[in-house]
Amino acid sequence: MRLTIERLGHLGDGIAEGPVFVPMALPGEVVEGEVEAGRMASPKIVTPSPGRVKPACPHYRACGGCALMHASDAFVADWKADVVRTALAAQRLEAEFRPVVTSAAHSRRRATLAGRRTKKGALVGFHGRASDTFVEVPGCLLLHPDLIAVMPVLSEITMLGASRKGELALTVTRSDGGVDLAVSGGKPLEQSLFSALADLARRAGFARMSWDGEPVANRRPPVQRFGAASVSPPAGAFLQATEEGEAALVAAVRDAVGNARRIADLFSGCGTFALPLAENAEIHAVEGEAAMLAALDAGWRRAEGLHRVTTEARDLFRRPLMPDELKRYDAVVIDPPRAGAEAQARELAGSGVPVIAAVSCNPVTFARDSRIIAAAGYRLDWVQVVDQFRWSPHVEVVARFSR
Ligand SMILES: C[S@@+](CC[C@H](N)C(=O)[O-])C[C@H]1O[C@@H](n2cnc3c(N)ncnc32)[C@H](O)[C@@H]1O
């Protein structure tokens, strides 16, 4: 069958009339191949797009990690900005778009790999394009070299601790103290397994290792730096995917809040925004996970020269900050999970907060919540797309709203 690709879907697949989904194809391209159940799994590219480049990674065809590696950086940046523009347009909103900031190759400092035992040993890698396949990724172009370096140890850990049929989720995070590893889905942590894992963690120089939430090794603090503060997040805690991406998000948020003296940081995590902003303002950080706030607070107490930072553990879906609580702030930073923050957006809309810096990893919920805020009279001043999930269809965005 010969088809012309009309657009890209939200997972980065080309879509032709039908719809027929065509992975590894770009808009405008003419492709040929067999179509089965609405999918052309192995397209031959008859007419390539000017945005097409040769994928840089030998694992690209099989691996599901980099759905857009066949597109140039400029193409991907334009497409990601368009994804946000289209989501906003669906809510009858438009904005000035700042140039997209894209993280470099080999900059991912946090990733979750899968580990499976085999008859001969173990496989560590990512799930492939076809969901039942599994791909090893030695030399992965996304991951920071410090994470690639521990892959052989992750194989050993998989051999020791994965059950015959189960699969380990191995979350590796680069920290100042060394690699921080959180494993889930493993065998029960009996004494012999504990000793063997602790020994491996020592030999590998891991900062910390946990097994289904149980600490196995705590050798050095797994420190992340947020501005002037050094924070040791709880095992497996959220962290922005790349240092460069985080720097771009923090720069945009700083710019959005300007000279605000009192700032609420909602969905604050361990202080990615709160601690750098505390260089110039008093901060109230609100977050659902008390352990993340404890890490933020400890980091603030150890740092010098920061303004006061207070913390509050609170479920912001059920108990958003209300207008009478919000009125004491000059600016609010909000960075919810993928589901967005509809309830909090409604309360923000009814507040008199002069500036809102909205950060999001989901353009659809971002646009929905933006509509709520804009409908109450806020202006959407600008939008900054940050691409820290290079070659993937994920989109990260910061926006400034003001009254
Ligand atoms: C996208 S992360 C952002 C964290 C932080 N701003 C950062 O950049 O590192 C979203 C945060 O929201 C928190 N969270 C999720 N659901 C929540 C809820 N219902 N109430 C409060 N916080 C929640 C998560 O624990 C996580 O730290």
Side-chain angles (χ1 to χ4, degrees):
M1 207 165 176
R2 181 177 273 226
L3 299 169
T4 302
I5 305 299
E6 293 174 347
R7 61 194 165 90
L8 288 189
H10 67 284
L11 297 178
D13 281 354
I15 302 180
E17 199 184 332
V20 177
F21 290 85
V22 187
M24 302 172 279
L26 296 175
E29 290 187 328
V30 176
V31 295
E32 261 180 19
E34 268 179 47
V35 175
E36 226 184 285
R39 190 173 167 82
M40 184 186 281
S42 300
K44 179 176 169 236
I45 310 296
V46 180
T47 317
S49 153
R52 176 168 285 277
V53 294
K54 189 173 177 305
C57 174
H59 311 298
Y60 155 79
R61 272 204 162 262
C63 178
C66 290
L68 286 170
M69 205 181 235
H70 53 281
S72 67
D73 282 2
F75 177 94
V76 175
D78 285 349
W79 178 70
K80 291 195 177 187
D82 259 352
V83 168
V84 179
R85 208 175 275 118
T86 306
L88 287 172
Q91 300 288 348
R92 302 184 306 286
L93 292 171
E94 46 185 42
E96 171 206 328
F97 274 66
R98 296 180 158 193
V100 177
V101 180
T102 304
S103 294
H106 287 306
S107 64
R108 275 289 286 277
R109 61 174 169 183
R110 181 164 189 268
T112 300
L113 292 141
R116 265 190 208 170
R117 259 170 71 185
T118 62
K119 286 208 177 91
K120 289 191 192 142
L123 294 174
V124 170
F126 292 120
H127 290 278
R129 281 182 194 277
S131 54
D132 56 337
T133 60
F134 190 89
V135 184
E136 284 193 292
V137 286
C140 170
L141 295 182
L142 280 181
L143 300 181
H144 190 283
D146 290 358
L147 301 186
I148 294 177
V150 298
M151 286 216 193
V153 188
L154 300 183
S155 292
E156 283 187 64
I157 289 171
T158 304
M159 274 189 268
L160 275 174
S163 60
R164 268 266 168 249
K165 292 202 176 126
E167 188 174 288
L168 295 184
L170 302 145
T171 300
V172 275
T173 307
R174 185 173 178 259
S175 83
D176 282 6
V179 167
D180 182 11
L181 173 66
V183 185
S184 62
K187 288 193 218 165
L189 192 56
E190 282 159 8
Q191 187 55 44
S192 58
L193 179 59
F194 180 95
S195 307
L197 291 172
D199 188 46
L200 265 180
R202 184 182 50 73
R203 278 198 281 127
F206 288 158
R208 172 172 67 177
M209 179 171 172
S210 71
W211 194 260
D212 281 319
E214 294 288 320
V216 169
N218 249 325
R219 302 183 57 253
R220 280 183 301 277
V223 168
Q224 304 294 339
R225 286 174 205 271
F226 299 137
S230 296
V231 172
S232 297
F238 178 89
L239 183 72
Q240 299 292 348
T242 70
E243 249 180 71
E244 288 162 283
E246 180 182 297
L249 295 171
V250 171
V253 167
R254 270 190 209 274
D255 190 24
V257 301
N259 293 326
R261 310 299 302 162
R262 284 163 309 170
I263 301 173
D265 179 13
L266 309 182
F267 303 93
S268 67
C270 295
T272 301
F273 302 115
L275 292 163
L277 292 176
E279 286 160 24
N280 297 311
E282 265 189 31
I283 312 290
H284 185 53
V286 187
E287 152 70 45
E289 295 283 336
M292 293 177 99
L293 291 174
L296 189 165
D297 182 66
W300 171 67
R301 284 173 195 284
R302 276 191 302 266
E304 284 178 15
L306 297 184
H307 289 257
R308 206 161 103 90
V309 177
T310 51
T311 60
E312 180 180 355
R314 179 155 163 175
D315 183 338
L316 292 168
F317 291 171
R318 288 161 188 254
R319 282 206 315 123
L321 262 65
M322 303 306 279
D324 68 323
E325 295 172 281
L326 291 165
K327 68 175 186 242
R328 68 186 79 134
Y329 302 109
D330 308 317
V332 168
V333 179
I334 180 164
D335 181 16
R338 291 190 66 76
E342 193 169 358
Q344 186 61 75
R346 289 196 191 288
E347 302 311 330
L348 277 169
S351 78
V353 173
V355 171
I356 300 168
V359 185
S360 170
C361 57
N362 182 343
V364 173
T365 56
F366 162 71
R368 177 201 67 198
D369 296 348
S370 296
R371 176 80 221 142
I372 296 169
I373 292 167
Y378 280 88
R379 190 177 57 236
L380 176 49
D381 297 316
W382 49 256
V383 167
Q384 163 83 66
V385 171
V386 174
D387 187 4
Q388 55 174 347
F389 291 95
R390 191 191 174 80
W391 295 313
S392 91
H394 290 290
V395 182
E396 212 87 21
V397 58
V398 184
R400 180 180 197 267
F401 293 89
S402 62
R403 269 205 190 276

